[in-house]
Each structure stands twice: as C-alpha cells, then as structure tokens.
Amino acid sequence: MNTVIAFILMFGLLVFVHEWGHLIFAKRAGMLAREFAIGFGPKIFSFVRNETLYTIRLIPAGGYVRVAGDDPEIIEIKPGHHIGLEFNESGKVDKIIVNNKDKYPNARVIEVERVDLDHELVIEGYEIGLEEEKMSFEVDEKAFFIMDERKTQIAPYNRQFASKTVGQRAMQLFAGPLMNFLLAIVIFIILGFIQGVPIDQAVIGEVQPDSPAAEAGMKANDEILLVDNNKVEKFSDVSSYIMDRPNEQIEFEVLRDGNKEILDIVPKKVDAEGTDIGQIGVLFEVAYEKSFFKTFKYGFTQTFDTTKMIVTNLAMLITGQLSLDMLSGPVGIYDATDQIVKTGFMNFLMWTAMLSVNLGIINLVPLPALDGGRLLFVGIEAIRGKPVSAQKEGFVHFIGFALLILLMLVVTWNDIQRLFM
C-alpha cells in the first residue's frame, strides 16, 4: 500500500508540475486554456475555475493542457442553421444554443445567414417569424455554445494558440519540461537541507570479500592519495580511472592510521552492457556536510549531472549502443519505485527528482506529439516565415502519437516479462 500511495503522489506531482507550466504560460500569453488534465480517459473528478476545466482522469499515463486552437473545435455553425440566442446585460450574445432550444424559452431563435466568431464576433440572420428583417447580433468574447446541455466557451482568434507570436508559443510548449527541471532542482535542494551535501572524498567505506582490493590488502577507512602517481581528491576520479583499466595493474598510495601504504591492484574485467570495465571491489564512504550556499549549488549541479547522464543514455539508445529492452514504462517505473520506497524516504525523493529530469528530457525529444515535436514545427515556422499547414502538422502528430502508443505497449510488455523472469 505504501508503494501505491508513493507512486500516485510521485506521478501526480511530476505530471501536475509539467502541465502547470504549460497552463501558466498559456494564460500569460492570453490563450484560452480549455482543460487542465491529470491522466487520460474517463473523468474521475472535475471542476471549472477561471475559464479552465480541471480534471483528474482514470488512466495514469500522463496529462495535458488543451488550449483553444490546439485541436479543431467540435461546434460549427453554418448558414441555414436554427440557433437560440440569449443576451447579457450589455445586450451582447452570451449563450448560443445549438440544440434543445425548447428548454430555453427566453432565447431568440434565428436562422443563421452569416457567423464570424473568430474576428468580428457577430451573428447575422433572420428571427423566426420575422424573415423579412435581417438582424445582426454582437457576440460577447466570453460567450458560450450550449449543445446537449453542455457549455463550451467560444474562442476568438486572439485567444487561440495559432494567434500568438512564435516566441509565446515556443515558451508555452517549453514551459512544461522547464518546470520539471525546476522541480528537480528544488527537490535536490531539499535533500541538501535535510541530509547535507555529499562530499566527494576518496575514502574507502567497504571492501568486498575475495575482491582484488581485499587480496591486495586494502581496508575500510583507507584514504586514497595517489593512483599511478596521479593525485586524486574525489572518489569519482578514482572510479573512472579503475573502470578504464580492466586487467591492468594500478598502483595505489593510501593513507592508513597516519601512515602511507603502497598497494598494487589489478581490476577485474566485468561486462557492463556490452562494455568491458574494471572493478576492484570497493564501496566509497559517503559523507555529508551542512552548508547553506553549497546546498543551493548542489541543487543545480545534481540536476545538471542527472541531465547529462540521461542524455548520454538516450544517445546510446538512439545509436543502438543500448537495447530497447533497457527502456521502462509505467509498470517498470512502479516496480523500481517499490524497491526504492523500501530503502527510505531520502532515496524516494532522489528517485522523484531523477524522474522529473527524465520527463523533461523525454518531452523535449523532437518526436511528433511530444512537446519537442511541436517545438520543432514552431522552429520551422520561425525559419521559413510561415507555419506548416495545420492539416500536415496534425497528420504528423497523429502518426507520431500512434507510434508512441505502440512503443508504450512494447515497453510495457517488456516490463511485465521482466517481473516474471
């Protein structure tokens, strides 16, 4: 049960922050944000506030912010249609009743001759029973369609996504991944305040039995001073040096109880996903220090290092150096979360921050249907001076979304197989 709660909270936080970034910058640019959704599928919970429908949906596989103009509007009024009109105190149309007009006895029913709800905000037509007199009605910019008893706010062109500048649209799309990076920075800073900032020191914490280090006489609390006469100050330097030299003798100078010792160790060759690396069988001691300024620096550096690691692995996946089997979907992430939750709250926070960075990076990949794919089209528009046609872009995103669903199914199947292996 703890894992279920932790996963729901973690998933909800990551998606909420991502979509909140899209929402905030949409509203700042003057776009009409129709819906802010966590999850997909049937609605579990919903409410409306400041023009936006907020929903929690059944399938926990992401979320979205639906902005006016992002997708074709469902309701279209054509000449010859009979519609009902209700008016606000200013005399402007504030309700356009498409069907079930008998439920609105105060509505004026007209036959439409011309309608423009994008620019002029006007409806022209003939009131039923007074066909000889053509009338023109000014429409409020926040008027509603009412169809099947459901209200949908109209979207004048200046409230639509396409009406905004290239910079505003690009920022609205980039804001989601940006918020994921900012969330990771905040979580790492919180970790730094709670447990302190890790000190990267070359001190041995544990020596594994029957390992090359144990056979050479290395012990816990040994501080490594030199490696092949090269001065070292942090364990990451030592680790990378060892990994690059499998089956090669390395001379270590260590400080033990105030005395210097020389140890010759040959790292054992280990296969790591198709690459031979060296290991001597030690774990380095992790120490922490409390520092206000270093804690804030840690938030940024840890986010950068995590980003670098994920981008490197993604590049290896694209170039074929890593197998598709290395990818995990919701099932695999849930299983990993289950294992991490058992190791403690700090590790769970670290895992959440890493997933937040991962979500930001994946969404910036220039694939159709992702933020990166949509940013690519905005970039193409900026270069060529005119947008790609909505039909062509929509078709590309549709194909991309279908391929992403297929990839998700493959990854989920791999996750399920791993669970039972």
Side-chain angles (χ1 to χ4, degrees), residues 50 74 88 109 130 169 194 235 254 267 277 279 281 295 302 324 335 352 362 366 371-372 394 398 408:
N50 295 334
I74 299 172
N88 58 21
V109 180
L130 300 173
R169 282 179 282 148
I194 294 175
F235 72 78
V254 303
I277 63 171
Q279 288 185 355
T295 294
Q302 194 68 14
L324 190 64
D335 183 55
T352 302
I362 293 301
D371 294 330
F398 175 78
M408 181 66 70

Side-chain angles (χ1 to χ4, degrees), residues 117-327:
L117 299 179
D118 286 326
H119 303 284
E120 296 181 43
L121 299 183
V122 65
I123 296 174
E124 295 178 352
Y126 300 91
E127 188 168 358
I128 302 301
L130 300 173
E131 284 80 359
E132 72 282 354
E133 183 179 354
K134 181 180 175 181
M135 308 183 73
S136 180
F137 304 94
E138 189 176 355
V139 181
D140 190 276
E141 64 176 10
K142 293 186 178 182
F144 288 90
F145 291 110
I146 300 180
M147 184 171 183
D148 298 328
E149 306 300 308
R150 190 171 66 180
K151 297 168 64 176
T152 302
Q153 187 171 330
I154 69 169
Y157 184 69
N158 69 324
R159 302 293 310 278
Q160 296 180 25
F161 181 82
S163 71
K164 303 306 174 183
T165 66
V166 167
Q168 287 174 318
R169 282 179 282 148
M171 191 64 230
Q172 194 269 338
L173 294 170
F174 179 68
L178 174 63
M179 292 303 295
N180 283 121
F181 292 114
L182 293 178
L183 174 63
I185 291 171
V186 170
I187 292 177
F188 283 126
I189 289 174
I190 291 172
L191 278 168
F193 276 117
I194 294 175
Q195 66 180 15
V197 178
I199 303 172
D200 192 357
Q201 57 183 5
V203 177
I204 304 300
E206 179 184 341
V207 179
Q208 297 174 350
D210 302 322
S211 64
E215 293 173 359
M218 186 169 280
K219 298 180 179 180
N221 299 321
D222 283 354
E223 181 181 355
I224 299 175
L225 303 177
L226 300 174
V227 176
D228 283 341
N229 292 318
N230 298 310
K231 185 177 180 181
V232 296
E233 296 179 349
K234 50 188 180 179
F235 72 78
S236 54
D237 294 336
V238 181
S239 297
S240 58
Y241 193 87
I242 294 171
M243 290 174 65
D244 291 340
R245 289 163 177 79
N247 291 337
E248 295 181 22
Q249 181 171 298
I250 301 175
E251 181 182 275
F252 292 82
E253 181 177 310
V254 303
L255 183 65
R256 181 186 301 162
D257 298 327
N259 300 314
K260 294 181 180 179
E261 303 272 349
I262 302 296
L263 304 174
D264 293 323
I265 305 176
V266 178
K268 180 173 64 175
K269 183 170 70 173
V270 177
D271 178 71
E273 299 169 359
T275 303
D276 292 333
I277 63 171
Q279 288 185 355
I280 64 173
V282 298
L283 297 176
F284 287 94
E285 183 178 279
V286 180
Y288 298 90
E289 67 173 335
K290 295 290 183 73
S291 168
F292 183 83
F293 294 105
K294 286 185 178 180
T295 294
F296 278 91
K297 180 182 176 182
Y298 174 71
F300 287 90
T301 56
Q302 194 68 14
T303 300
F304 175 80
D305 291 342
T306 304
T307 301
K308 183 179 177 181
M309 177 189 69
I310 294 173
V311 169
T312 300
N313 289 336
L314 183 60
M316 293 174 68
L317 184 68
I318 294 172
T319 57
Q321 294 173 268
L322 290 179
S323 167
L324 190 64
D325 292 338
M326 299 298 296
L327 285 177

Side-chain angles (χ1 to χ4, degrees), residues 1-23:
M1 181 58 71
N2 287 340
T3 300
V4 173
I5 295 172
F7 182 79
I8 291 174
L9 291 175
M10 179 184 70
F11 169 82
L13 176 64
L14 297 182
V15 175
F16 173 83
V17 166
H18 182 95
E19 301 305 336
W20 185 70
H22 289 312
L23 179 69

